[in-house]
Amino acid sequence: MNDYFSSLQKKYHISDGLMEQIVQAYAKVQPYWQSMGNQTWTAQIKILDAFQKHQASDFHLNGSTGYGYGDTGRDILELIWADIFKAEKALVRSNIASGTHALALGLFGNLLPGDTFVSISGAPYDTLQTIIGHDREAGTLSELGVQHKVVELVDDDFDFDGIAKTVTPDVKMVCIQRSRGYSWRKSLSISKIAKAIDFVKQIDPNIICFVDNCYGEFVELQEPLEVGADLIAGSLIKNPGGGLAPRGGYVAGRADLVDRAAARLTAPGIAEDVGSALDFNRLAFQGLFMAPLIVEQAMKGAIFAAQLLSQLGYKVSPEADASRTDIIQAIQLDEPDAVRRFCKGIQMASPLDAHVTPYDAELPGYDDPVIMAGGTFVQGSSIEMSIDGPMREPYIVYMQGGLSVAHVIAGVVAAVGQMEQK
């Protein structure tokens, strides 16, 4: 490792004192890294079994055009996906534009005018707020007369008293956001989600439990559907695409709920039966197969970042030695210039667009200017090393992804190097 760290020191102009901290952080995280293999190996065998069960073949890697009738590769991929995530049915499509789009399909497909749904993990992520709406804005759930209520978390856990008061039998759906979003709270573990779902089902077993699974796939041994969730959704340019899927998203769970989401994706009557895969199948199959390993690489990088930034005096969440429930690492940098410098360093260490400097700017769906960094092979991919955050106090950045831990370390070293050169 001496040659590796020496090359980083020279490349990013790191002082001897900071380099000593970097090497110490690397040594300290080794025991945490070694404990991560069980999830990866278990998920890999689960995926392998599903591929073999459904007799995935080279033929299925080919795409289709036009309507996509008879696209057996697309259909086999969805059967494999359903097996892996323990779903009755899965909708895995290249024309689901993002995780937000996948979540919107689940919401609009299963909520009708006059229905009420409750977010029991606090206010949803910024882009979902624009889907929900507040004053009957065009195209939102509020325009349809769908009511939304929020139960905040208490000490990073579900507020069961608040849930009991808010989730009454007339509530149609309960939503749980597994990852932290743009907040400091801890991401929610599968065991906590299981307790919350069980509590809701005791109120009324017919309430739909919908989990935003973004950033959480293959991090723990179980997925939300295995502990009672009715529906999950996520993005293929996050964990389950393995860094190879060029686009796409998924909705999986109870068959009737997925059917309704599929009708929103295309149209009633044709639903999941149409949608050409084009060049999507090969990369989606291979990315799914690679996903557990890539998720492990990303988590190792996040652990290293937590250790190093903590040593340098910054608040981090989660801590390096904490149990991980998603791939996101939050770092509180306290002031805007530190955010810009840190993001500049991440960009400098990216394989693409390393020569550009990221700046905060207004983005659709966000209330505050947002800064983003990461020269990714797939635009916006957050299973590749990237970082973003809203420019608001206390100036927290959210780092995620990394196709190799060596690259994540390089990015973090470049980032702290930029802050050192203030």
Side-chain angles (χ1 to χ4, degrees), residues 164-213:
K165 293 175 183 176
T166 309
V167 181
T168 51
D170 63 313
V171 166
K172 178 74 168 292
M173 177 186 288
V174 158
C175 292
I176 298 171
Q177 182 177 293
R178 187 173 174 183
S179 77
R180 66 178 64 237
Y182 281 162
S183 69
W184 191 249
R185 62 98 162 164
K186 294 178 181 177
S187 300
L188 295 167
S189 67
I190 290 294
S191 62
K192 287 183 178 180
I193 291 171
K195 291 178 183 177
I197 291 172
D198 182 64
F199 188 82
V200 168
K201 293 295 187 180
Q202 290 181 37
I203 296 171
D204 186 340
N206 295 312
I207 295 173
I208 301 166
C209 291
F210 186 13
V211 178
D212 174 353
N213 209 28

Side-chain angles (χ1 to χ4, degrees), residues 25 47 55 108 131 139 163 175 184 195 203 213 216 223 259 285 312 383:
I47 292 171
Q55 299 181 342
F108 280 101
I131 292 172
I163 293 171
C175 292
W184 191 249
K195 291 178 183 177
I203 296 171
N213 209 28
E223 298 292 336
D259 285 342
F285 273 98
L312 296 178
I383 190 57

Side-chain angles (χ1 to χ4, degrees), residues 97-296:
S98 64
T100 299
H101 186 194
L103 292 162
L105 294 173
L107 292 169
F108 280 101
N110 290 285
L111 293 171
L112 301 174
D115 283 344
T116 298
F117 75 108
V118 181
S119 296
I120 63 170
S121 52
Y125 185 74
D126 297 46
T127 54
L128 279 186
Q129 297 283 357
T130 60
I131 292 172
I132 296 165
H134 302 288
D135 193 25
R136 294 186 176 269
E137 300 95 334
T140 65
L141 289 167
S142 70
E143 184 186 32
L144 300 178
V146 174
Q147 302 296 313
H148 177 239
K149 299 178 181 179
V150 174
V151 179
E152 297 291 345
L153 298 173
V154 176
D155 297 326
D156 293 328
D157 202 351
F158 293 98
D159 177 4
F160 291 98
D161 288 339
I163 293 171
K165 293 175 183 176
T166 309
V167 181
T168 51
D170 63 313
V171 166
K172 178 74 168 292
M173 177 186 288
V174 158
C175 292
I176 298 171
Q177 182 177 293
R178 187 173 174 183
S179 77
R180 66 178 64 237
Y182 281 162
S183 69
W184 191 249
R185 62 98 162 164
K186 294 178 181 177
S187 300
L188 295 167
S189 67
I190 290 294
S191 62
K192 287 183 178 180
I193 291 171
K195 291 178 183 177
I197 291 172
D198 182 64
F199 188 82
V200 168
K201 293 295 187 180
Q202 290 181 37
I203 296 171
D204 186 340
N206 295 312
I207 295 173
I208 301 166
C209 291
F210 186 13
V211 178
D212 174 353
N213 209 28
C214 288
Y215 301 104
E217 298 94 345
F218 306 126
V219 174
E220 296 193 72
L221 291 172
Q222 290 182 298
E223 298 292 336
L225 295 174
E226 297 177 75
V227 295
D230 300 297
L231 196 65
I232 59 173
S235 167
L236 268 64
I237 62 170
K238 295 183 173 68
N239 302 21
L244 291 174
R247 59 189 178 277
Y250 73 92
V251 181
R254 227 172 68 194
D256 61 317
L257 306 179
V258 176
D259 285 342
R260 295 182 68 91
R264 291 293 303 201
L265 177 63
T266 58
I270 55 176
E272 76 271 15
D273 294 327
V274 299
S276 55
L278 299 175
D279 61 345
F280 179 69
N281 285 353
R282 181 179 301 276
L283 293 172
F285 273 98
Q286 190 174 13
L288 176 60
F289 187 76
M290 292 294 296
L293 175 62
I294 300 303
V295 168
E296 181 182 320

